[in-house]
Amino acid sequence: MLELKRKARASALAIMTYAFLAGAAPMAFAQENDAASRQFSAKAGEVVLKAQSLITANEFQAALTLLGDAKDIPDLTPYERSIIGQMQGASHYQLDQYGPAISGFERAIAAGGLRPKEIDDMQVQIAQLMIANGQFRQGAERLEAYLNGGGQLKPQYTDMLTQAWVNAEEPARALPWASKWFAAADPKERKHYDLMNFIYAKLEKNERQADLVIEMIERWPAEKELWDAWASLLSQSGQEQDAFEVNKLLYLRGALSEEADIMKVIQYYAYYNMPYQAAQILEKEMNAGRIPREADKLVQLSSLFRQAREYARAIPILEAATKTGGTGDLYAQLGEALYNEGYCERAETAFKRGIDRGYDAGKAWMLIATCRYEDVQRQQKLTCEMTTAEKAAAPKSQARQSTIAAFENVPLTSPQSRDAKKWISFIIAERETFDKRCGFERDRVMKTCYLDIRRAYDAVFLTDEFELNDTNCEQFIPAYDKEYRSKKTG
């Protein structure tokens, strides 16, 4: 903005030159212009000459006072009023009073004493002064009106209109002028690219901006901001994979050192289902000190390892995080990691601490019970040969009862309650199935032995000896005798 005002002020210097020429001695004008309408009366000429002398002596305020009194001169011609207005405008300009200067020049035009070419020149000068005064929209519109009316387009006007519309926050109106300004620039400097980039961004012309940014990268490949801009444009246009590749390239080249930039790369890896690579980068950068080793970052790191099923690596990280003031969710995450590594007792401790800190009791007890059930599966199997007491005391039976107790701890109000009841029914049915199988097996063996016992009894008649083929069948002789032989003897 300061550069724009400087250029406008420099261009406006022409106003002073013009005003001095216009304010020359009355007789000089009379010699140059035969038309009576462009001659000064004696009284008006005297005032103008004195004012011109004061201006020449840099006594601008005194000149303004004198020119202000000149308005009371009777029967001033349009030409005289125009010249007085110009001189007032020039004096105000020299005092850095841009608003009054503009008003003076507008009065000069309104007085009707200027020729069309003079009016056009003054319109341009007013436009430049407006822009220098921060009236960007008004100045730009006046300059455009001059050009649309057939005024000569000069390079400085293109530059000024571009900057004025940008400062007026009208990028759409700045674009056509900026395009001309950019095309005419030779050589093209960074300022030309930056301004076009800014305008395209404001207007969300992503494709044109992307082409420009690529050209800028070719000229200034070491500037990270340009690569960032390109990645952002790719992302905005739905080319997320390409945006990821740009960010990955920057990271691998060592161009990223800020936490936010590195975290963006980590998020990209996680988004594209590469949690292990994301975790490696996060762990590396935490160790390097570029990302703080804070609780939330530790949780994120553990989460990435858990997503990658690297539970063993997640456990120590989660344990470290809980020491900084673990929440219920954090303890639950630790419990889940321990559960997946088969550390049921430690997992149960973590889940219970999570429950104490507000974690969902239903979810926690379901996982505790599931871990206990998996422990049941690891225990030595029961056998049908075991007595009832031996079966009840067996580790597998104890673990099964412990599992049922855990499922019973799921609150009835919990959404997991229904699943917990199904699990309890399944575990009970599993034991009942085993008992039924043992019963069926015992019946099969008993029936086979009954046949052997019967054969042995029948053979006594011939051999006078009772001899079983399977000595294990001896256990069934009392039952056989009670059921069959007692009936015969009775």
Side-chain angles (χ1 to χ4, degrees):
M1 184 182 297
L2 291 174
E3 177 66 12
L4 175 60
K5 289 184 176 181
R6 183 193 65 77
K7 290 181 179 179
R9 286 197 296 268
S11 298
L13 287 173
I15 296 171
M16 281 300 298
T17 303
Y18 183 83
F20 277 118
L21 291 174
M27 286 192 293
F29 277 103
Q31 291 169 358
E32 292 177 15
N33 302 282
D34 294 333
S37 62
R38 292 180 68 84
Q39 293 183 5
F40 281 94
S41 66
K43 193 167 185 179
E46 180 181 355
V47 172
V48 168
L49 280 173
K50 288 180 180 179
Q52 184 174 326
S53 297
L54 291 170
I55 291 172
T56 304
N58 294 332
E59 296 182 24
F60 304 111
Q61 191 60 56
L64 285 169
T65 301
L66 185 61
L67 291 166
D69 294 338
K71 68 182 181 191
D72 296 328
I73 297 174
D75 302 323
L76 286 174
T77 66
Y79 178 67
E80 289 169 336
R81 292 184 184 279
S82 292
I83 295 302
I84 290 170
Q86 288 182 54
M87 295 179 73
Q88 287 176 318
S91 298
H92 280 298
Y93 172 80
Q94 290 294 343
L95 293 171
D96 290 332
Q97 299 170 349
Y98 293 157
I102 292 168
S103 298
F105 293 131
E106 287 183 328
R107 285 196 302 272
I109 294 173
L114 300 178
R115 292 170 178 167
K117 176 65 169 60
E118 294 168 339
I119 292 173
D120 285 344
D121 290 344
M122 191 159 289
Q123 291 284 18
V124 173
Q125 293 159 356
I126 291 172
Q128 292 170 339
L129 272 180
M130 283 181 165
I131 293 171
N133 195 39
Q135 298 169 265
F136 302 114
R137 175 184 291 277
Q138 298 94 318
E141 287 179 340
R142 190 175 288 243
L143 187 52
E144 281 187 345
Y146 160 75
L147 295 173
N148 293 335
Q152 181 184 2
L153 177 60
K154 298 179 181 180
Q156 62 265 35
Y157 296 166
T158 303
D159 186 352
M160 193 170 295
L161 281 166
T162 299
Q163 300 289 343
W165 283 123
V166 168
N167 281 286
E169 298 183 2
E170 291 278 2
R173 298 189 70 170
L175 181 56
W177 298 109
S179 299
K180 292 179 181 179
W181 175 69
F182 184 81
D186 186 20
K188 287 181 173 58
E189 301 175 14
R190 181 60 183 266
K191 65 180 181 180
H192 299 103
Y193 285 96
D194 284 343
L195 184 60
M196 292 303 297
N197 187 29
F198 172 79
I199 293 174
Y200 286 147
K202 284 290 185 181
L203 295 175
E204 297 183 355
K205 295 184 177 293
N206 292 350
E207 290 187 10
R208 294 171 71 176
Q209 187 184 4
D211 291 340
L212 182 74
V213 169
I214 291 172
E215 188 177 341
M216 293 175 74
I217 289 173
E218 291 173 352
R219 296 189 66 172
W220 299 285
E223 294 200 18
K224 172 183 167 294
E225 291 76 11
L226 296 176
W227 291 89
D228 286 342
W230 186 26
S232 177
L233 287 167
L234 289 169
S235 178
Q236 291 172 29
S237 62
Q239 298 171 269
E240 287 288 351
Q241 181 69 47
D242 292 331
F244 171 38
E245 294 300 327
V246 172
N247 280 281
K248 182 167 68 173
L249 177 63
L250 286 173
Y251 178 74
L252 295 175
R253 286 184 174 182
L256 304 182
S257 58
E258 297 297 323
E259 178 184 348
D261 294 330
I262 297 171
M263 290 304 301
K264 186 189 299 182
V265 174
I266 292 169
Q267 289 162 3
Y268 266 123
Y269 271 102
Y271 178 79
Y272 284 105
N273 200 28
M274 291 184 277
Y276 184 72
Q277 292 87 337
Q280 284 185 312
I281 294 173
L282 180 54
E283 187 173 46
K284 172 186 172 184
E285 296 300 331
M286 288 172 69
N287 291 336
R290 283 186 286 270
I291 294 179
R293 201 174 188 81
E294 297 173 348
D296 61 327
K297 295 297 189 297
L298 289 171
V299 171
Q300 185 174 4
L301 178 59
S302 67
S303 177
L304 290 169
F305 276 130
R306 284 166 51 233
Q307 290 174 41
R309 301 186 182 279
E310 292 284 338
Y311 301 107
R313 298 189 67 174
I315 290 170
I317 298 167
L318 285 166
E319 287 176 334
T322 58
K323 292 176 182 177
T324 63
T327 62
D329 286 341
L330 187 57
Y331 272 105
Q333 291 173 26
L334 173 59
E336 183 182 348
L338 291 165
Y339 158 78
N340 281 288
E341 285 297 297
Y343 301 123
C344 286
E345 290 186 9
R346 291 167 63 189
E348 186 168 328
T349 299
F351 279 126
K352 287 178 178 178
R353 288 177 179 172
I355 293 171
D356 292 341
R357 289 162 176 78
Y359 186 71
D360 189 315
K363 291 180 180 179
W365 277 109
M366 281 295 290
L367 284 169
I368 291 171
T370 303
C371 202
R372 288 185 183 182
Y373 179 75
E374 291 176 0
D375 184 50
V376 171
Q377 304 307 105
R378 289 190 288 268
Q379 297 293 338
Q380 185 176 358
K381 293 181 178 180
L382 302 178
T383 66
C384 294
E385 289 73 22
M386 298 172 70
T387 66
T388 302
E390 287 174 336
K391 291 176 183 177
K396 195 176 189 72
S397 297
Q398 296 295 315
R400 183 180 281 118
Q401 288 304 117
S402 175
T403 300
I404 292 173
F407 279 122
E408 288 175 340
N409 278 330
V410 174
L412 294 176
T413 56
S414 171
Q416 283 76 30
S417 176
R418 186 173 179 180
D419 288 338
K421 290 177 181 178
K422 288 181 179 179
W423 268 104
I424 292 171
S425 297
F426 171 77
I427 294 169
I428 292 172
E430 190 178 46
R431 174 59 190 269
E432 289 175 348
T433 299
F434 169 76
D435 290 338
K436 287 179 181 178
R437 182 175 63 79
C438 287
F440 174 80
E441 180 65 21
R442 182 176 177 80
D443 286 346
R444 185 188 66 79
V445 172
M446 183 181 69
K447 288 178 181 179
T448 301
C449 284
Y450 274 16
L451 292 174
D452 193 22
I453 294 169
R454 178 180 178 182
R455 181 200 55 75
Y457 274 127
D458 290 343
V460 170
F461 175 74
L462 298 174
T463 64
D464 292 329
E465 291 184 9
F466 181 85
E467 185 176 356
L468 294 171
N469 291 332
D470 186 352
T471 57
N472 289 326
C473 290
E474 291 178 357
Q475 60 181 310
F476 295 106
I477 292 175
Y480 180 88
D481 290 346
K482 183 177 181 180
E483 185 173 353
Y484 294 104
R485 292 183 66 77
S486 61
K487 292 178 181 178
K488 289 180 180 180
T489 58

